[in-house]
C-alpha cells in the first residue's frame, strides 16, 4: 500500500479517552461553522475522537486518490497511531454528508480488527451532475468561472491527464 501523500494528515486525533474510538469523516463546508468532528470531540468526554480529512491528502502533489485507497490509508493510520491498550475496543465511524461513502469503506476496513458501528449523518450520494455543478459553483466563487470542470465520472476515476488547476 502506498501512502496517500498530501499537505495535511488524513487522520488525526482531536481528543483522548479510554472509551470507544470515534472516527469522524466530514468535509469542511465553506462556512465559519465548526466541523462535526470538532463538535463531537467537544462533547464525547472519555472517547478518543479522530478527524478524517481527505482534503489534505489530495492536495499538494497528489490531486486524486480513490475512495478505497483513502479508506485503507485511514484505517492503517488509525490502527498504527492508537494506543496499544485501545486495541480491541469498539469503534464508531461517523460520516457526514458526502463523506458517507468514505465512512462506510473505512468501517469495512476496520471490521476485520474489531466491532465497528457506522453512523451516517445527513448522508448524500452525489452523482456526476451534482459534482460538476458544485465544482462550477466553487470555481465561480474563486473567480475561475470560465474554466471547464475536469472530465471524470465516479465510474471512470480521476480527472483526465490534460486537466490542471492552473
Amino acid at each position: 500500500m502506498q501512502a496517500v501523500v498530501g499537505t495535511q494528515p488524513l487522520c488525526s486525533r482531536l481528543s483522548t479517552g479510554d472509551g470507544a474510538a470515534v472516527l469522524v469523516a466530514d468535509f469542511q463546508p465553506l462556512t465559519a461553522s465548526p466541523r462535526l468532528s470538532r463538535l463531537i470531540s467537544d462533547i464525547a468526554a472519555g472517547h478518543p475522537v479522530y478527524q478524517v480529512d481527505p482534503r489534505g491528502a489530495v492536495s499538494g502533489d497528489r490531486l486524486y486518490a480513490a475512495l478505497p485507497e483513502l479508506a485503507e490509508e485511514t484505517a492503517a493510520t488509525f490502527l498504527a497511531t492508537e494506543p496499544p491498550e485501545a486495541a480491541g475496543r469498539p469503534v464508531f465511524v461517523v460520516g457526514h454528508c458526502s463523506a458517507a461513502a468514505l465512512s462506510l469503506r473505512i468501517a469495512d476496513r476496520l471490521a476485520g480488527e474489531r466491532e465497528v458501528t457506522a453512523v451516517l449523518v445527513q448522508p448524500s450520494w452525489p452523482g456526476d451532475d451534482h459534482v460538476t455543478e458544485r465544482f462550477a459553483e466553487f470555481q465561480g466563487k474563486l473567480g475561475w468561472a470560465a474554466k471547464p470542470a475536469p472530465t471524470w465520472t465516479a465510474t471512470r476515476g480521476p480527472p483526465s491527464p490534460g486537466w490542471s488547476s492552473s
Side-chain angles (χ1 to χ4, degrees):
M1 171 184 61
Q2 177 184 358
V4 177
V5 178
T7 58
Q8 302 292 320
L10 182 57
C11 181
S12 56
R13 186 169 42 197
L14 300 178
S15 62
T16 60
D18 295 331
V22 181
L23 280 77
V24 184
D26 56 348
F27 297 110
Q28 176 63 38
L30 297 174
T31 70
S33 300
R35 294 175 72 160
L36 180 62
S37 52
R38 290 284 177 191
L39 294 172
I40 291 175
S41 176
D42 289 346
I43 63 169
H47 295 272
V49 177
Y50 294 79
Q51 182 181 69
V52 178
D53 188 359
R55 291 174 315 124
V58 293
S59 60
D61 293 337
R62 182 143 198 188
L63 298 179
Y64 177 81
L67 281 180
E69 187 177 2
L70 289 170
E72 184 64 38
E73 182 71 16
T74 300
T77 300
F78 166 72
L79 292 171
T81 59
E82 73 172 339
E85 63 273 10
R89 288 187 193 147
V91 176
F92 292 92
V93 181
V94 180
H96 180 244
C97 197
S98 58
L102 175 60
S103 299
L104 290 175
R105 289 178 183 262
I106 294 168
D108 184 57
R109 299 305 188 283
L110 293 173
E113 302 290 326
R114 60 191 47 174
E115 179 185 338
V116 178
T117 302
V119 179
L120 304 181
V121 180
Q122 296 177 326
S124 70
W125 313 100
D128 294 341
D129 291 339
H130 175 77
V131 171
T132 301
E133 289 170 17
R134 295 292 297 182
F135 186 82
E137 178 184 323
F138 183 69
Q139 282 185 317
K141 289 179 181 180
L142 295 174
W144 298 346
K147 184 175 244 178
T151 55
W152 72 279
T153 68
T155 55
R156 284 187 286 165
S160 61
W163 185 83
S164 76
S165 61
S166 56

